[in-house]
């Protein structure tokens, strides 16, 4: 017995590291019950600081720049397609190139630009800063996440250079056509696309793990969930959605890769192709559609929820007013997130389904409009009697509300089976989804970049250039997409690379096509202004004061601006309130930062909203 | 510091009320009282569960088509299942030893678990080899394809587990861990091992029953 005791003691001293030899952070400053400070990785060389960085701020910027670079390619592709549509007589594009460009444009914009920019870019930049953490929970995994994304982008771009070119199956990649002869890139491009998506999902999972754990576990003292900025709520909920939705994409991609490479029959039915009977049999193309849209619909909200969150904060800061109905906004974000998993089949009405099934999905689709409408009302009520500053972020936020409302209303049309079936394959749908998940989130991204640019560079972006950029982008997008609604109503089919001289198509639509294309070229070119502003202002921009927008949230309260490695200097911030105390009666300033102790604002009377 | 709050209680807090402000100011910043590694593992397990559930759904849907022909289950699969069960039991034992601070036995358990995990992977590869030799190619029937797909994905999860087992074991042997960390890390690996056992039982059961 005593032997065993000794043995235990010995073993204990052997295997347990001496507490003093393990570096423990200085916790003198905090009471005993508190959590120890996070241990950080400190870089020593240029490579580990700027390239293989483990600092979430740098990773966020890396993500954002990579995503924007890829997005520019998507933009150029849209130019090429629009020139073809407006001037089919030029023989500008082959039909196969047109389909390839449509596919790559769609996939790049949805996944590699918007998802990566909102979650990878803004998520990494803002989550640690707004929550009051020093960094993400697992910085090394965070770095891996970014580099997996880079490899995914490179694989995607490589598909332009393989024989047969990139896939032309449409961004939905429906089998059997995606991997059957006759579709552009059916044996090379599609494989690279699928591999790229698999890599993206793997990389995103690593990043998403970080976002979730950091938001849940690494917040500053006093930062309860219901004191978090709505930006964080949006990004957090979107990340949770992504963690549940991306596996569906992964399953679909893996099984289609096997169908294509090995010749299995997960999705491929028995087919005759080019006069030959294929070896596949019994596969279910509809199964892929279900998997794809089980990912694809939450994906819409993966993009939209961060935009909702960010725009709420921008509106509140730039109208100097508490966000209207904070709790309702949080509930709406969570509710939309939950509901988004029960609406996917509304993308498949024309694939054919049991009428009751369609009825169910039409109902859920219309129900999801309720929390969404609550959000729109709350944004407007936030503006109501606010001290509205028409700064750049505010302009873009206002543009977002209008655009999102517009795209949301056409969504209500399309959610109904009977309305959707005739409109489904027309430009009406193109107009709808570009408004609601193209232009609207992009406007928020611009607003957010103008808003947080001083935080990143310490300088302001040029206001005049920004205003020109806003008006061209905002009015230009309406010039592009409003006519498309009309084109859809008169029955112009989408996915056609040329309409020819069909007697069923009104000639006015041909003229409209030219008009739209000119607008596309102008709006696209206006983005060069933005890019110039983005890069030039880093050197030439007006020096920004600390907290230039007089915001309350923690990212502006760091000891240095731009924040340094570790964000918070010696002591982590302590939070006493939510980030929406603007224009509080009795307070000296019209804003009370989240970390300002109550003793400094004794006269202030915070009102319930 | 109310940790026991449900998600509904958290979401219905009124952060502007005086009582709530006082309570909130004392909040330590964490939502749940577990280590970030443990919560991270749970997140990953949740995502993996979705992944495997979708595979199961796809399998059940595809099974109904009449070209489906079952494939045999070699006895070796039962043997491999046994290995997984044993390694879970040993891991459970390892966590117990670690808690009681009998670290030499913990170490032996960890080594044995590594051996079992590699044996399982090799066993699975032998099953593949046997099946391929007897003509059950992935292309000959979709049931076979599902079998290879399931075993691959499950095997990749095991390989991921082996990576973290290796990191934990090497840190443990190098004695560079604090006592709480030892328990925390071994616990995490054990939970993941149990999770992969359950996943395998579900997948294997599904393939047996069809």
């Amino acid at each position: 017995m005593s032997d065993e005791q000794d043995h235990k003691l010995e073993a204990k001293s052997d295997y347990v590291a001496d507490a003093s030899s393990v570096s423990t952070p200085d916790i003198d400053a905090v009471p005993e019950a508190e959590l120890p400070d996070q241990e950080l990785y400190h870089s020593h060389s240029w490579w580990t600081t700027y390239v293989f960085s483990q600092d979430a701020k740098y990773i966020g910027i890396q993500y954002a720049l990579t995503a924007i670079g890829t997005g520019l390619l998507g933009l150029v592709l849209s130019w090429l397609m629009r020139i073809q549509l407006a001037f089919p007589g030029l023989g500008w594009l082959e039909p196969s190139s047109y389909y390839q460009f449509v596919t790559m444009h769609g996939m790049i914009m949805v996944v590699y630009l918007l998802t990566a920019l909102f979650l990878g870019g803004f998520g990494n930049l803002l989550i640690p800063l707004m929550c009051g953490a020093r960094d993400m929970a697992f910085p090394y995994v965070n770095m891996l996440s970014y580099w997996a994304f880079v490899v995914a982008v490179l694989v995607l771009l490589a598909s332009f250079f393989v024989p047969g070119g990139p896939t032309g199956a449409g961004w939905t990649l429906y089998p059997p056509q995606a991997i059957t002869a006759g579709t552009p890139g059916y044996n090379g491009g599609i494989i690279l696309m699928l591999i790229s998506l698999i890599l993206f999902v793997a990389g995103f999972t690593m990043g998403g793990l970080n976002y979730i754990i950091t938001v849940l576990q690494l917040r500053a003292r006093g930062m309860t969930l219901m004191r978090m900025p709505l930006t964080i709520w949006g990004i957090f909920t979107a990340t949770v959605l992504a963690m549940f939705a991306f596996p569906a994409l992964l399953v679909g991609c893996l099984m289609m890769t096997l169908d294509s490479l090995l010749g299995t029959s997960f999705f491929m039915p028995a087919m005759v192709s080019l006069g030959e009977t294929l070896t596949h049999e019994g596969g279910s193309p509809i199964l892929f559609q279900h998997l794809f849209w089980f990912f694809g619909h939450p994906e819409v909200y993966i993009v939209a929820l961060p935009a909702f969150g960010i725009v709420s904060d921008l509106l509140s800061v730039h109208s100097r007013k508490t966000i209207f109905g904070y709790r309702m906004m949080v509930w709406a974000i969570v509710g939309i997130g939950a509901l988004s998993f029960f609406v996917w089949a509304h993308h498949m009405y024309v694939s054919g389904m049991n009428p009751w099934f369609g009825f169910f999905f039409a109902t859920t689709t219309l129900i999801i409009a309720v929390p969404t409408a609550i959000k729109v009302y709350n944004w407007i009520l936030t503006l109501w009697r606010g001290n509205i500053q028409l700064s750049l972020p505010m302009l873009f936020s206002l543009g977002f509300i209008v655009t999102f409302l517009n795209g949301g209303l056409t969504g209500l049309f399309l959610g109904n089976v009977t309305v959707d079936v005739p409109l489904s394959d027309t430009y009406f749908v193109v107009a709808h989804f570009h408004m609601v998940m193209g232009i609207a989130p992009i406007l928020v991204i611009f607003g957010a970049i103008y808003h947080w640019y001083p935080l990143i560079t310490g300088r302001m972006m040029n206001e005049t250039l920004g205003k020109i950029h806003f008006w061209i982008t905002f009015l230009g997008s309406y010039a592009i997409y409003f006519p498309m609604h009309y084109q859809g109503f008169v029955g112009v089919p989408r996915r056609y690379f040329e309409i020819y001289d069909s007697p069923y198509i009104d000639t006015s639509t041909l003229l409209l096509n030219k008009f739209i294309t000119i607008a596309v070229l102008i709006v696209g070119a206006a983005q060069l202004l933005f890019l110039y502003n983005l890069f030039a202002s880093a050197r030439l921009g007006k020096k920004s004061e600390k907290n230039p927008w007089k915001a309350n949230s923690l990212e502006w309260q760091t000891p240095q601006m731009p924040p340094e490695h570790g964000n918070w200097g010696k002591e982590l911030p302590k939070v006493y309130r939510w980030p929406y105390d603007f224009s509080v009666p009795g307070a000296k300033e019209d804003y009370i930062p989240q970390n300002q102790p109550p003793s400094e604002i004794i006269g202030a009377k915070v009102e319930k909203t | 510091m109310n940790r026991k709050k449900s998600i509904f209680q958290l979401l219905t807090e009124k952060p502007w009320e005086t009582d709530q402000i006082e309570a909130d100011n004392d909040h330590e910043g964490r939502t749940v009282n577990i280590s970030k590694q443990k919560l991270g593992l749970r997140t990953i397990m949740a995502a993996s569960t979705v992944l495997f559930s979708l595979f199961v759904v796809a399998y059940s849907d595809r099974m109904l088509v009449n070209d489906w022909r079952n494939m045999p289950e070699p006895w070796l699969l039962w043997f491999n299942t046994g290995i997984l069960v044993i390694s879970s039991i040993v891991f459970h034992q390892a966590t117990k030893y670690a808690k009681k601070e009998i670290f030499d036995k913990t170490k032996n358990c960890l080594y044995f678990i590594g051996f079992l995990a590699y044996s399982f992977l090799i066993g699975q590869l032998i099953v593949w080899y046997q099946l391929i030799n007897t003509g059950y190619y992935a292309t000959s029937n979709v049931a076979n394809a599902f079998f290879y797909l399931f075993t691959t994905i499950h095997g990749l999860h095991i390989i991921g587990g082996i990576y973290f087992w290796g990191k934990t074991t090497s840190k443990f042997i190098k004695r560079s861990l604090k006592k709480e960390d030892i328990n925390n890390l071994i616990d995490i690996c054990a939970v993941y091992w149990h999770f992969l056992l359950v996943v395998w039982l579900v997948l294997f059961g599904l393939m047996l029953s069809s």
Side-chain angles (χ1 to χ4, degrees), chain A residues 49-122:
Chain A
T49 311
Y50 295 105
V51 182
F52 298 103
S53 175
Q54 296 189 27
D55 188 325
K57 295 185 290 295
Y58 287 99
I59 297 176
I61 294 164
Q62 287 175 324
Y63 249 118
L65 291 178
T66 316
I68 291 173
T70 322
L72 282 178
L73 176 66
L75 179 79
V76 172
L77 293 177
S78 71
W79 274 354
L80 300 177
M81 291 184 299
R82 276 317 309 186
I83 293 173
Q84 165 64 33
L85 286 173
F87 309 103
L90 289 177
W92 172 260
L93 290 183
E94 297 286 310
S96 60
S97 327
Y98 179 79
Y99 287 122
Q100 289 168 328
F101 292 172
V102 169
T103 308
M104 296 305 272
H105 168 80
M107 196 60 98
I108 283 175
M109 290 307 197
V110 173
V111 176
Y112 298 85
L113 172 69
L114 289 173
T115 309
L117 189 50
F118 269 124
L119 299 182
F122 288 112

Side-chain angles (χ1 to χ4, degrees), chain A residues 343-412:
Chain A
V343 298
W344 79 87
H346 69 214
H347 297 271
M348 299 162 55
Y349 288 150
V350 289
S351 301
M353 61 178 74
N354 185 312
W356 288 107
F357 199 61
F359 174 71
F360 171 78
F361 281 100
T363 312
T364 51
T365 304
L366 297 184
I367 289 174
I368 212 170
V370 174
T372 318
I374 288 174
K375 294 196 79 72
V376 176
Y377 287 128
N378 282 358
W379 288 322
I380 293 167
L381 288 167
T382 302
L383 294 170
W384 173 249
R385 303 181 75 182
N387 176 9
I388 294 175
Q389 325 278 311
L390 280 182
S391 55
L392 287 170
M394 180 54 119
L395 283 177
F396 279 99
S397 306
L398 294 176
F400 163 82
I401 297 181
V402 180
T403 312
F404 184 74
L405 185 63
N406 186 312
L409 287 176
T410 50
L412 285 180

Side-chain angles (χ1 to χ4, degrees), chain B residues 9 12 34 36 44 56 61 115 133 143 161 167 171 173 179 195 204:
Chain B
Q9 284 167 320
T12 46
I34 52 177
K36 63 181 181 183
I44 292 293
V56 170
D61 181 76
F115 168 73
N133 272 350
K167 270 182 81 165
K171 271 189 203 162
I173 293 166
K179 202 180 81 191
F195 170 70
F204 189 45

Side-chain angles (χ1 to χ4, degrees), chain A residues 221-252:
Chain A
R221 289 156 60 195
M223 180 72 99
T224 58
L225 285 177
M226 295 308 272
R227 278 177 173 181
M228 290 199 304
L230 286 167
T231 301
I232 299 298
W233 268 110
I235 293 176
F236 174 71
T237 315
T239 308
V240 175
L241 293 195
M243 294 294 264
F244 289 139
F246 275 123
L249 180 68
L250 188 64
V251 169

